[in-house]
Amino acid sequence: MGMKGKVALGAVVGVVVIGVVSANAGNNGDGGTSGGTDKGSSASAEREAGGKKGVKDTGKAEVAEKKAAFAGDGDFQVGSDIKPGTYRTTGNSDGMCYWERAKDASGEMDSLLANDNVTGTSYVTVKATDKLFKSSDCNDWEAVDKKAKGSPAARMSGDGGMFAVGADIAPGTYQSTGNTDDSCYWERTKDAGHGIESILANDNVNGTAVVRISASDAYFKTNGCKDWKKTG
């Protein structure tokens, strides 16, 4: 496990199949607002290729500069190398960022708790019961301050990854138009555990997408979509 470009394991919620790079594995989700989708503590969500940028007054979520907690490449033992908590990586532009939570260091399939291939931003909650966190080709990971307040944006990049609801983006009804080939995938989640039980709703979209993001949602995930705009 942990090879570069590894495909995240698939999952099914209702009749909707989670997207190829949006697939998750495991049933060990934990709350924490999380909180990746996710960005900066002051409204962060639209990904810029190559790294982090300061917050701009553009009406869209942007990335704020944060201090790295640990590197985007490596295997980290939970409790000694990294502490349990929610972490975020931003600015991943090519879908090659891969992470996984594991219950041991055997490298076997049974050790896998959750994983994902990331474009844009990801939020991941590492639990105290996890033993290993693996990261490959990701930008540095930052600890998420649950008490941080932001200026939630009303627009977001359709390929931005995960957005923290209430910090990166405002709750409400959003629309994305012009999606083709069912490549647009969105997901509402209650935490950043990335287990099937974390998902509140999801869809693969062709054409116009409309989704209501609740104030009680923790994160909103979007990949392969046209940009989203709040309409209500």
Side-chain angles (χ1 to χ4, degrees):
M1 305 301 294
M3 296 172 60
K4 294 182 180 180
K6 183 185 299 183
V7 176
L9 300 185
V12 177
V13 176
V15 296
V16 178
V17 179
I18 294 179
V20 175
V21 296
S22 303
N24 305 290
N27 53 9
N28 208 15
D30 187 27
T33 179
S34 138
T37 232
D38 85 90
K39 306 180 194 159
S41 59
S42 57
S44 33
E46 181 170 10
R47 255 9 98 221
E48 298 284 348
K52 313 175 184 73
K53 299 206 174 186
V55 174
K56 300 177 182 178
D57 187 14
T58 62
K60 289 188 180 181
E62 300 284 346
V63 181
E65 190 71 25
K66 301 290 287 184
K67 184 177 180 181
F70 56 94
D73 283 291
D75 296 350
F76 305 93
Q77 296 184 80
V78 179
S80 56
D81 298 327
I82 63 173
K83 297 179 180 179
T86 299
Y87 297 91
R88 169 186 56 223
T89 178
T90 66
N92 303 287
S93 60
D94 57 6
M96 294 300 291
C97 167
Y98 172 81
W99 64 261
E100 74 177 47
R101 295 169 46 223
K103 63 183 180 182
D104 58 46
S106 69
E108 298 177 0
M109 187 66 70
D110 287 347
S111 71
L112 185 65
L113 297 171
N115 67 350
D116 203 2
N117 288 320
V118 178
T119 297
T121 288
S122 185
Y123 286 86
V124 181
T125 296
V126 178
K127 299 181 68 174
T129 51
D130 295 354
K131 298 302 182 184
L132 197 68
F133 184 80
K134 302 169 72 73
S135 179
S136 177
D137 278 342
C138 301
N139 282 345
D140 290 349
W141 292 86
E142 307 155 351
V144 174
D145 182 358
K146 298 178 183 179
K147 298 181 180 180
K149 301 296 182 180
S151 300
R155 296 185 182 186
M156 57 182 149
S157 168
D159 209 31
M162 289 179 73
F163 298 81
V165 179
D168 299 329
I169 57 171
T173 299
Y174 286 79
Q175 184 180 58
S176 171
T177 61
N179 303 294
T180 59
D181 302 326
D182 292 321
S183 60
C184 169
Y185 172 80
W186 64 259
E187 176 181 306
R188 295 169 48 225
T189 71
K190 64 182 181 181
D191 56 45
H194 294 268
I196 294 176
E197 75 286 352
S198 298
I199 300 175
L200 297 169
N202 67 348
D203 201 3
N204 289 314
V205 179
N206 192 39
T208 297
V210 177
V211 59
R212 175 71 180 177
I213 300 173
S214 173
S216 60
D217 295 353
Y219 301 94
F220 181 74
K221 185 174 183 178
T222 172
N223 287 116
C225 304
K226 299 295 183 181
D227 288 355
W228 295 85
K229 181 179 179 180
K230 189 172 181 290
T231 60

